[in-house]
Amino acid sequence: MNIPVFQIDAFTDKPFIGNPAAVCLLMEEKSDEWMLNVAREMNCSETAFLLNKEMGISLRWFSPKTEVGLCGHATLASAHVLWEKGIVPRNEEILFFTKGGLLTAQYKEGWIELNFPAIEEKKVLPSEILLDALKVPVLYVGKSKYDYLVEIETEEILKDMNPDFETLKIAVPRGVIVTCQSDRPKYDFISRFFVPSLGINEDPVTGSAHCVLGPYWQKKLNKSELIAYQASERGGVIKVKIDDDRVYISGKAVTITDGVLLV
């Protein structure tokens, strides 16, 4: 049976920037081993596997190394595919049932808005190995249930960062979000996200990181609607709105390939 598969650039309205994700539309349950093998073959930071259920869409995400607990850009890519292919009408909310909980997507004035959980981070004392791996002066270090959050002083320092990824693998169980206030008035804050333990030295644009970044910058800037830029080589723009324990993450997406898996 041929399985529809797409490659989508997420958090961009132009091809070849933003964050690539693969999206597979399954007709039946597949084993974890099969999905991991497909993710390795697609070789994107995440591959999304969608299966229609009675109440909504089952959604799972795999990196080339492991299953992922929460992923923004592949969720945004999944919503884009469901609407673009006419599987779900654009005026209907999509319900995604995931291991990270119930997530929703709505199409709003050309943007895809995802409803994600806010993720709390708390200040921690950083290890010397983490600081050595980052190789930049830090203003603040916090930790969520998934990742470290590190604030640094300037956009210039952030853009010039070149961490020691082998040391970072040892220092950080999953990833480290590095952020600062933006020098440019059109953005409130910028960030980069390093996840060498998942086989991705730097993730181009990370929706789930903004579940932590949104509440963090809401407190610092005293505003609940923010525009963010993830300053990887590919780069991407994210709208962030915080409402109590939810973070609304909005972006755009572009289809790059449309085909089928033959296995």
Side-chain angles (χ1 to χ4, degrees):
M1 183 182 296
N2 294 343
I3 298 171
V5 62
F6 308 86
Q7 184 166 318
I8 308 298
D9 285 345
F11 293 112
T12 177
D13 59 359
K14 299 180 178 64
F16 315 125
I17 56 177
N19 199 353
V23 178
C24 287
L25 302 182
L26 301 179
M27 310 300 173
E28 60 186 16
E29 298 280 358
K30 292 289 188 180
S31 70
D32 291 7
E33 181 183 10
W34 183 90
M35 288 188 282
L36 183 57
N37 283 333
V38 171
R40 287 172 178 156
E41 190 74 17
M42 300 308 295
N43 201 32
C44 293
S45 56
E46 272 83 23
T47 297
F49 296 89
L50 281 66
L51 182 63
N52 266 313
K53 297 284 189 177
E54 186 175 342
M55 299 299 292
I57 307 290
S58 168
L59 170 59
R60 294 176 70 182
W61 312 278
F62 283 78
S63 81
K65 283 198 168 185
T66 187
E67 186 169 11
V68 176
L70 189 67
C71 179
H73 84 282
T75 305
L76 188 139
S78 298
H80 172 80
V81 168
L82 293 172
W83 284 319
E84 285 288 306
K85 303 307 289 185
I87 298 167
V88 178
R90 284 192 194 274
N91 62 349
E92 284 189 14
E93 182 179 53
I94 302 172
L95 304 181
F96 290 115
F97 293 90
T98 81
K99 291 190 174 181
L102 174 64
L103 309 175
T104 66
Q106 290 186 300
Y107 190 81
K108 292 188 174 181
E109 298 178 349
W111 291 74
I112 299 168
E113 182 184 80
L114 307 177
N115 180 345
F116 269 48
I119 298 175
E120 183 183 15
E121 55 78 31
K122 292 184 178 179
K123 185 176 182 179
V124 295
L125 184 66
S127 66
E128 287 299 322
I129 192 170
L130 173 59
L131 297 177
D132 289 346
L134 293 174
K135 301 193 291 188
V136 294
V138 306
L139 300 177
Y140 173 87
V141 180
K143 192 174 187 306
S144 75
K145 63 181 178 179
Y146 295 116
D147 305 302
Y148 283 92
L149 182 144
V150 176
E151 185 184 352
I152 63 175
E153 192 170 357
T154 69
E155 196 167 312
E156 183 179 3
I157 294 171
L158 182 72
K159 289 180 177 178
D160 290 342
M161 278 188 72
N162 184 24
D164 179 340
F165 293 113
E166 290 304 314
T167 303
L168 211 54
K169 281 183 189 178
I170 301 166
V172 178
R174 194 181 92 140
V176 56
I177 307 160
V178 184
T179 187
C180 68
Q181 192 167 351
S182 179
D183 297 337
R184 291 168 285 175
K186 65 180 177 178
Y187 304 124
D188 293 292
F189 65 89
I190 68 170
S191 67
R192 293 175 70 183
F193 186 44
F194 305 109
V195 273
S197 65
L198 296 185
I200 313 151
N201 282 346
E202 181 170 4
D203 196 37
V205 194
T206 316
S208 62
H210 289 77
C211 295
V212 183
L213 286 162
Y216 179 78
W217 285 107
Q218 178 195 36
K219 293 172 190 171
K220 289 188 69 76
L221 301 178
N222 195 31
K223 57 192 298 190
S224 295
E225 295 191 24
L226 305 140
I227 304 292
Y229 182 74
Q230 193 156 330
S232 65
E233 184 176 346
R234 291 175 65 101
V237 177
I238 308 101
K239 289 183 179 180
V240 184
K241 181 173 70 174
I242 304 93
D243 186 4
D244 293 329
D245 63 346
R246 306 302 295 180
V247 177
Y248 295 86
I249 299 165
S250 298
K252 297 185 178 183
V254 179
T255 302
I256 302 299
T257 61
D258 179 340
V260 293
L261 289 174
L262 301 176
V263 294

